[in-house]
Amino acid sequence: MNAPLITPELVSLDANLGSTKIEVITSVAGIVAAAGRADADGLARDALDRESTSPTGMPGGFAIPHCRSAAVSQASLGFARLSPTVDFNGPDGPADLIFMIAAPEDGGAEHMKLLTELARALVKPEFVEQLRQAPDAQTIVDLVGRVVEPKEGTAPTASATALPHTAATSTATEAPRIVAITACPTGIAHTYMAADYLTAAGKKMGVDVKVEPQGSTATEPLSAADIEAADAVIFATDVGVKGRERFAGKPVIESGVKRAVNEPEKMVSEAVAAAKDPHARRVPASHSEQQESKQTGSHTGWGKRIQQALMTGVSYMIPFVAAGGLLIALGFLFGGYEIAQNGMDIALHNTLGNLPIPTAHALGGSATMTYIGAILFAVGQAAFSFLLPALAGYIGFGLADRPGIAPGFVAGAVAGVTGAGFIGAIVGGLLGGLVAYWFTRINPPRWLRGLMPVVIIPLIGSLIAGGLMYVVLGRPLAALTNALNNWLGSMSGASAVILGIILGLMMCFDLGGPINKAAYLFATTNLAVTNIGSLKVMAAVMAAGMVPPLAMALSTTLRPKLYQPAERENGTAAWLLGASFISEGAIPFAAADPLRVIPSMMAGGAITGALSMALGAASKAPHGGIFVFFAIDRAWAFVLAIVVGTLVAALLVTVLKASARRKATASA
């Protein structure tokens, strides 16, 4: 280890660091930065982001703001003893002791272990009192050092705290047996403190409590024997429970992780009561492991759960979008845009020994390139055919775990057959998932349980979701798509700029949904090489459709701290997806923050569509993005329209997200 986690210059005693927790966190971040261990602004921003997710005030008058941050260069503990105290939303009033746990974004396992040892030591009232009575900074350093950096052969202070797998052994055979999972977003502090609070509460109450903290450091999982013997389960988590299916059928108490810190005895009492209640809520035989953050003491709201399911569906759909879209684009590059008409026929009936007649725009005019392009196009089409089923199927999975997959996939396939499209797949996936989830709440006879997830739930869920799509929902959505096509057709003689604005708005509204597809179908079904107007419409549609992923990629590059790590990874991929005319590359961002992302994308798309039409860009190719520049007239106008629209959309969404972040921080 290059440097100790805490040194005297990281300690501030009896200091006035502000009257609000925002001011205190900012001040302590400055102390860490002054020691050369972090960037003050970056650390403060990330710690405040974590604080806005869940306040870090703890029972006993102390607070532990913490985060993993790219702004941290050396794992550090900043400490402040405040005078006057400051409200950190703790359960028993303002805090006078502040520990800021600053971990590097890629912090190693050893540092994480030491940081969690501190968090667990803070569970002990005597340790906290020693911190209050310490006369100087070096004493604080020594106290903390004995916990996080014990000398060889010396047990750390935190070890005195009941460990997750200890229990009241003298009464283990008669006592109620409870198992628990604790987890917080960062996996540094609350995860392990909650585990120790629950264990200590169980020991005090004569209840055998065994806990599996799912945090940043390796923890031995609960054994199958412990789970089998348990009378009830506690899930105190702000993130998904790993291996939730292990607890199927057990009575369950669920809450956010902070409730286990604030009310551990009450949670243990509720678990004991649930174990004795035959009507208590139980862990379903198959239930989504993708749980949303919960409010303290309450279950996840259905709005949040549906949003989580939508994000699950989109995340599983994106690989099909990326693979299919890029393969189709490469097919156009190798085989020319005519491949869209005859590519499937060539792939099925020709071989390398029986090459087709080369298409007019094949790479080098080669028959071999034509055949390769056809194969690429055919494989891409096959991948694309899974978009709607995958989206709907994994929305069902997000709501009901594995039993929701079959009903969702069936509903998504029906959405494609009926023309219900992207929105139909969402509705069908939700229907299938909700039906499957309802069945998982049933407690059937033991002889029937084995058939439920593999036969009964998939059968009835598929029938209901697929049947409703065929009988009730599919045709109205298809009719809506046709009506939009007819409406657009009636505007073909109107102002080109107005038409470009409308098409741009439609392309960016639902990112591959019925409205987007209506605009695209209007362009492709009217595309004719002899009709310059149709070529301009095609160029406007393709340019506008490229804007959303490009704009989100640019925004994540300009202000990466506004986005989660997964979103930043999506932003990197979105450069290529946007360049390939795959609007769906922006779906993860729109699903996570629709009120800011979708209007911004529509503004950029409208400008792009208008500029493309006004400047006379024209495309003979119906797809392909940058891979079909050979088929675009006035390519400079096409590029200019895309660049301007992308800049407008990216700047607008960045400003809106930054404003929302400031408001959230101010209210934290």
Side-chain angles (χ1 to χ4, degrees):
M1 193 173 301
N2 295 329
L5 289 167
I6 186 169
T7 59
E9 59 261 38
L10 295 174
V11 176
S12 178
L13 295 181
D14 305 318
N16 184 347
L17 299 183
S19 59
T20 68
K21 62 180 179 178
I22 294 176
E23 293 175 345
V24 172
I25 289 173
T26 302
S27 297
V28 179
I31 293 172
V32 176
R37 293 166 171 252
D39 170 70
D41 292 339
L43 174 56
R45 179 178 59 247
D46 291 341
L48 289 170
D49 283 347
R50 170 63 187 85
E51 190 73 21
S52 66
T53 301
S54 177
T56 56
M58 296 292 165
F62 66 93
I64 48 169
H66 58 280
C67 66
R68 295 178 190 243
S69 174
V72 177
S73 57
Q74 171 67 45
S76 303
L77 299 173
F79 176 81
R81 194 166 65 197
L82 302 180
S83 179
T85 59
V86 173
D87 185 13
F88 270 74
N89 302 104
D92 51 5
D96 64 332
L97 300 180
I98 308 299
F99 264 110
M100 176 177 282
I101 302 178
E105 194 168 45
D106 57 350
E110 186 62 26
H111 275 145
M112 294 299 102
K113 182 177 179 180
L114 297 178
L115 294 172
T116 55
E117 289 289 354
L118 170 68
R120 302 178 77 167
L122 288 168
V123 173
K124 296 187 65 181
E126 58 269 28
F127 177 67
V128 175
E129 188 59 30
Q130 286 177 323
L131 295 173
R132 288 197 170 98
Q133 300 300 325
D136 52 44
Q138 186 59 52
T139 303
I140 296 289
V141 172
D142 293 341
L143 285 169
V144 174
R146 286 197 290 271
V147 172
V148 300
E149 297 171 324
K151 295 179 180 179
E152 187 174 353
T154 303
T157 304
S159 297
T161 304
L163 294 173
H165 287 276
T166 62
T169 54
S170 62
T171 60
T173 56
E174 300 87 7
R177 290 160 294 189
I178 307 297
V179 292
I181 299 292
T182 60
C184 69
T186 57
I188 298 175
H190 287 79
T191 297
Y192 299 93
M193 295 179 74
D196 288 342
Y197 275 115
L198 288 172
T199 303
K203 191 172 184 179
K204 179 179 178 181
M205 299 166 66
V207 177
D208 183 354
V209 178
K210 297 183 179 181
V211 188
E212 178 185 314
Q214 295 182 348
S216 59
T217 60
T219 303
E220 181 182 354
L222 290 164
S223 69
D226 286 335
I227 296 172
E228 178 65 25
D231 299 305
V233 181
I234 294 174
F235 291 149
T237 69
D238 288 334
V239 294
V241 176
K242 300 174 184 175
R244 186 182 182 112
E245 68 280 356
R246 295 175 292 165
F247 306 92
K250 296 289 184 182
V252 62
I253 299 298
E254 290 194 71
S255 78
V257 70
K258 278 204 71 177
R259 187 174 182 232
V261 174
N262 296 336
E263 301 176 336
E265 293 183 20
K266 187 174 181 180
M267 288 200 74
V268 172
S269 296
E270 290 175 0
V272 171
K276 301 175 181 178
D277 182 1
H279 303 292
R281 178 171 174 258
R282 295 175 181 270
V283 180
S286 291
H287 182 70
S288 172
E289 296 177 17
Q290 309 296 324
Q291 296 294 310
E292 282 295 302
S293 298
K294 307 172 183 68
Q295 298 297 323
T296 300
S298 66
H299 301 308
T300 306
W302 272 105
K304 287 288 186 181
R305 295 191 60 183
I306 288 174
Q307 183 186 31
Q308 171 74 24
L310 292 174
M311 289 297 293
T312 300
V314 168
S315 68
Y316 280 100
M317 180 192 73
I318 288 297
F320 293 98
V321 175
L326 292 175
L327 285 167
I328 289 172
L330 288 170
F332 286 129
L333 177 64
F334 281 87
Y337 60 85
E338 299 96 332
I339 283 295
Q341 281 73 48
N342 58 9
M344 293 299 297
D345 185 67
I346 292 173
L348 289 171
H349 298 102
N350 292 94
T351 67
L352 286 172
N354 177 29
L355 292 172
I357 298 173
T359 56
H361 295 90
L363 197 64
S366 165
T368 301
M369 293 297 103
T370 298
Y371 179 70
I372 292 174
I375 296 297
L376 290 168
F377 177 84
V379 176
Q381 284 284 81
F384 248 50
S385 69
F386 285 98
L387 294 189
L388 299 183
L391 173 64
Y394 286 106
I395 287 174
F397 171 76
L399 286 173
D401 210 332
R402 284 173 290 182
I405 293 179
F409 264 85
V410 170
V414 175
V417 171
T418 59
F422 181 74
I423 300 299
I426 290 177
V427 173
L430 291 174
L431 282 173
L434 289 171
V435 171
Y437 174 79
W438 183 80
F439 272 97
T440 65
R441 299 296 301 273
I442 297 175
N443 189 18
R446 184 176 295 274
W447 62 267
L448 188 58
R449 289 179 186 173
L451 292 176
M452 291 292 287
V454 296
V455 176
I456 295 175
I457 298 176
L459 171 64
I460 299 178
S462 298
L463 176 61
I464 293 175
L468 286 175
M469 288 300 300
Y470 265 120
V471 177
V472 180
L473 299 169
R475 289 170 185 167
L477 287 173
L480 176 61
T481 300
N482 290 331
L484 288 171
N485 276 328
N486 294 334
W487 174 62
L488 282 174
S490 68
M491 292 189 64
S492 59
S495 166
V497 173
I498 294 176
L499 182 58
I501 291 173
I502 294 172
L503 291 171
L505 290 171
M506 294 180 69
M507 288 299 295
C508 298
F509 174 69
D510 56 358
L511 304 172
I515 295 176
N516 171 285
K517 287 295 186 286
Y520 182 69
L521 288 173
F522 171 73
T524 55
T525 54
N526 293 288
L527 184 63
V529 177
T530 57
N531 183 345
I532 187 62
S534 71
L535 301 182
K536 290 181 179 179
V537 168
M538 189 71 252
V541 164
M542 184 153 59
M546 294 168 68
V547 165
L550 290 174
M552 295 312 305
L554 180 58
S555 180
T556 58
T557 301
L558 293 174
R559 293 291 301 277
K561 292 300 182 181
L562 295 176
Y563 298 91
Q564 298 298 321
E567 290 180 311
R568 295 197 290 270
E569 292 178 7
N570 286 333
T572 301
W575 285 113
L576 189 54
L577 295 174
S580 304
F581 181 35
I582 301 173
S583 303
E584 289 87 345
I587 287 177
F589 303 97
D593 191 4
L595 296 181
R596 279 173 278 274
V597 171
I598 291 177
S600 303
M601 299 305 103
M602 291 176 68
I607 290 173
T608 295
L611 280 175
S612 179
M613 293 292 283
L615 298 174
S619 174
K620 302 181 184 71
H623 209 293
I626 62 172
F627 294 100
V628 292
F629 272 137
F630 55 83
I632 296 175
D633 297 334
R634 294 199 177 185
W636 64 269
F638 184 77
V639 173
L640 179 61
I642 294 171
V643 169
V644 173
T646 297
L647 288 172
V648 169
L651 292 175
L652 184 55
V653 74
T654 301
V655 169
L656 291 176
K657 280 185 167 287
S659 176
R661 176 67 61 87
R662 286 193 295 271
K663 290 179 181 178
T665 301
S667 62

